[in-house]
Structures are given as C-alpha cells and as structure tokens.
Amino acid sequence: MNEKVKVQNREQALYDRLGSTVRQLHTAMRELGYERVLDETLREITSSQDRLLYIATLTEQAANKVLNAVDESIPIQTEQVLQSKGIADRWQVMLENSAVPNELSELVSETLSFVNRVADNSEGEKTRLMEIMMAQDFQDITGQIIKKIVELTQKLEIELAQILRDYAPTTVSVDKPVDLLAGPAVPDLAMEQDDVDSMLADLGF
Amino acid sequence: MADLNEMKFLVVDDFSTMRRIIRNLLKELGYNNVDEAEDGNMALAKLNRDKFDFIVSDWNMPGMDGLQLLQAVRADPKLSHLPMLMVTAEAKKENIIAAAQAGASSYIVKPFTAATLDEKITKILEKHNK
C-alpha cells in the first residue's frame, strides 16, 4: 500500500468517526427537545432585537427633545449677555460723566452690579447648556452599538432558523406560557392606553 | 481660503443628533455657515454642487462611509485641497493609520469635547493657510 492510500484511509476513518459523533449528538439533542429550545431562542432573539431598536428610538427622541430645548435657550442667553453688558456700559458712562444725585447713587450702583451679575450668570448658563448638548452624544454611540448588536443577532437568527428548517421539519408547537415579567413593551406589541381602558372595562373595572 | 466666519462647513454623519451637536459647536466657534449630509454619497453630491471650505465627517455610515468619502475627495482634483476632519467612534490604531494614509487632515475620537474640536480645526487651518 503506498503512502497516499494510507493517508486517504486515515482521513476516511476520521470522517466516519466525526459523522457518527454528529449523529449521536443529533439524536441526543432531539431526545432532549432541542427543536423547542431552538424555536424559543429564535423567538427571544427577535423580541430582543425589537427591544434594542426601541431603546435606540427612545434615546434618539430624548436626545432630540434636549437638543431642541438647548437650541431655543442658547440664543436667549446670548441675547441676555449682550443686552445686560450694553446696559452696564451705559450706566458706567453716565456715572463717569455726570453727577448722580445722592438719593439715586445707591440705586444706580445696585442696578449696575445686578446687570453685571445677569451677564455673568447668562454666560455660565450658556456654558452649562453647551455641556448638556455635548452629553447628548451618548445617543450616537449607543445607537451605533445597538445597530451592531442587532446585525449580529440577525445573523444568528438566520443561522438558527436554517438549522431548525434542516433538522426539525415538523413545526414546533407554539403554546408557550406568557411571560408576565417580560418588561417594558415595544410599541407595536404594546397596547395603547385606550386598549387597556377598554380591556379594563370588559373586565369589569 | 475665505474669511473665517464666511467659511462653509459640511458635516457628514448618519446620526442627526451628532450632526446637530457638531453644527452647534461650530456655531459657538464662530462658523455659522454649515450644511449637513447623511452619508458619503449625499456629501459628494453637495460638494460637487456647492463650494465648501471644510469637511467634518463620521466614518461608519451606511451607503458611502467616511473613508470612502475621504478617498473620493482626495482623488478629485476639484476637491482634493479641502481639509477633512474625521470625527468617529472607530478608534483602533488601524483606523487612524488608514485615515491618515487616505489623507485625513486630523482625527477626533467620539465622545469628544468642544475644546478638542476647536483645537483640531484651528490647527488644520493654520497648516492649511501656510
């Protein structure tokens, strides 16, 4: 027997053994009910994808609300800084150029320090608003991560579905108990308050 | 290059939140002339139609991504001179090398601060105007 034939025989033996191991595994898994497990896993994957996408939508909405508010507030603060500085300057010029009656001098200096404080506070407010705006960048990062995970689970889902189709030709029954602690529901699965109310009414509440 | 405040920026990012943040930051830095694009294809169309002075682009986008946009910009004689700053969450060594090799003007990793954006833009413009 030459060397090549020997190698071929050895490979054949290896494949035979692998084949029989896979068959055993297949039988064992079927006995353990793997079709049901796979089927449930598949459904859970789909549901987690919906939940992840829902998180992405909610966070995007929240970030946009914050950005809208910030967009409205920043110009107001900018305007406030400009106007209070302008008024402070005019008071300053008047104080330097004309004699202020004694009875007004206290009011004048209080007004001046107040408008200066307004300018400073508005400047500080602008800085904080910019910080609030910058903090919304989390949405871009979390959104990208969620998108990646959803793509990954979609691939996994396709693979699992293929395994199910290949090895479990009979449809697995779907009478699975409803999970009462499934957590916040995704809108298209969730009931609107109106639906809830009418259901409550039906139930006699 | 145009006067600082007249400079026209193109912000390219698939996330509207990020486009808004960058637009506001640019405004705060005194750059009021800002346009936006959702991906590389839209950006190229705008770059070919209007005159821009500066591109700020994300990397990971559907359609044409930021690196492809960078390559397309550098390959086009009409656009190749434009400064292009990458602002991206892709932060591996290989990313930065690839962007540098493709001709990125600079690279900012998300999440970033207003100060970083200011510093990078100033530096790019100093170099560009030399």
Side-chain angles (χ1 to χ4, degrees):
Chain A
M1 204 188 288
N2 66 26
E3 209 42 40
K4 204 172 165 192
V5 174
K6 249 194 242 170
V7 170
Q8 272 175 356
N9 283 348
R10 234 188 2 246
E11 279 183 357
Q12 192 52 48
L14 174 69
Y15 288 133
D16 286 349
R17 254 177 85 181
L18 264 179
S20 104
T21 309
V22 170
R23 252 196 312 280
Q24 276 174 27
L25 189 64
H26 182 210
T27 317
M29 280 176 79
R30 194 164 52 202
E31 277 162 10
L32 290 167
Y34 81 102
E35 284 116 335
R36 174 174 288 275
V37 174
L38 274 183
D39 192 58
E40 265 176 33
T41 311
L42 255 182
R43 247 174 300 152
E44 269 168 27
I45 287 176
T46 315
S47 140
S48 10
Q49 280 166 6
D50 291 343
R51 287 177 201 206
L52 280 174
L53 290 175
Y54 187 43
I55 292 176
T57 312
L58 283 186
T59 52
E60 190 183 353
Q61 279 172 1
N64 273 325
K65 270 186 202 163
V66 173
L67 288 178
N68 288 344
V70 168
D71 276 355
E72 271 183 53
S73 306
I74 287 182
I76 295 173
Q77 299 301 331
T78 309
E79 178 80 18
Q80 201 134 281
V81 171
L82 279 177
Q83 283 186 351
S84 39
K85 276 187 179 157
I87 289 177
D89 286 347
R90 281 164 65 195
W91 272 120
Q92 200 65 54
V93 169
M94 200 186 87
L95 278 178
E96 279 160 18
N97 295 331
S98 34
V100 176
N102 266 345
E103 63 266 34
L104 279 183
S105 73
E106 198 184 334
L107 182 61
V108 167
S109 69
E110 266 180 38
T111 308
L112 184 59
S113 85
F114 173 71
V115 285
N116 276 325
R117 229 166 36 240
V118 170
D120 287 348
N121 288 345
S122 288
E123 204 69 74
E125 200 60 29
K126 250 181 93 171
T127 310
R128 287 187 287 276
L129 283 166
M130 291 301 282
E131 265 172 43
I132 291 173
M133 180 193 81
M134 281 310 289
Q136 305 313 306
D137 72 350
F138 80 89
Q139 196 274 324
D140 174 69
I141 312 270
T142 52
Q144 287 194 44
I145 294 172
I146 287 174
K147 233 161 78 179
K148 276 260 157 70
I149 297 176
V150 168
E151 279 167 19
L152 197 83
T153 53
Q154 267 164 356
K155 274 187 205 148
L156 193 64
E157 188 182 13
I158 292 168
E159 293 285 323
L160 278 177
Q162 193 56 50
I163 292 177
L164 261 187
R165 270 197 297 277
D166 291 349
Y167 296 105
T170 47
T171 328
V172 183
S173 65
V174 290
D175 51 347
K176 177 183 153 231
V178 173
D179 184 2
L180 293 178
L181 289 173
V186 174
D188 53 332
L189 297 175
M191 300 206 301
E192 298 283 331
Q193 187 57 48
D194 286 349
D195 303 326
V196 176
D197 290 347
S198 73
M199 207 174 146
L200 285 175
D202 288 345
L203 291 170
F205 282 94
Chain B
M1 177 143 312
D3 184 16
L4 219 63
N5 295 333
E6 294 298 309
M7 279 183 58
K8 190 163 182 186
F9 280 72
L10 182 63
V11 175
V12 194
D13 201 309
D14 54 330
F15 277 82
S16 66
T17 319
M18 193 38 77
R19 289 201 303 273
R20 284 182 76 174
I21 290 176
I22 294 176
R23 178 192 274 268
N24 276 348
L25 285 174
L26 288 173
K27 206 169 158 190
E28 202 50 36
L29 297 174
Y31 307 111
N32 289 309
N33 200 352
V34 180
D35 200 352
E36 299 176 12
E38 276 174 32
D39 77 335
N41 290 316
M42 199 195 236
L44 265 190
K46 289 199 172 191
L47 287 166
N48 282 317
R49 203 177 53 221
D50 303 325
K51 193 189 157 295
F52 285 90
D53 302 296
F54 205 110
I55 308 167
V56 180
S57 178
D58 184 22
W59 185 322
N60 193 344
M61 295 176 285
M64 182 190 274
D65 69 31
L67 188 68
Q68 290 167 329
L69 173 66
L70 175 60
Q71 286 159 344
V73 165
R74 291 293 173 251
D76 185 335
K78 289 194 303 296
L79 305 172
S80 61
H81 66 283
L82 282 178
M84 181 158 164
L85 169 62
M86 302 292 287
V87 179
T88 162
E90 311 297 328
K92 291 200 192 78
K93 242 192 210 157
E94 292 82 356
N95 289 111
I96 294 146
I97 293 169
Q101 280 171 349
S105 307
S106 197
Y107 201 98
I108 294 180
V109 170
K110 291 175 186 170
F112 63 102
T113 65
T116 312
L117 184 69
D118 189 14
E119 183 208 314
K120 296 283 185 250
I121 292 177
T122 312
K123 222 174 174 176
I124 292 171
L125 291 179
E126 271 172 11
K127 225 172 145 187
H128 202 263
N129 292 337
K130 254 184 198 164

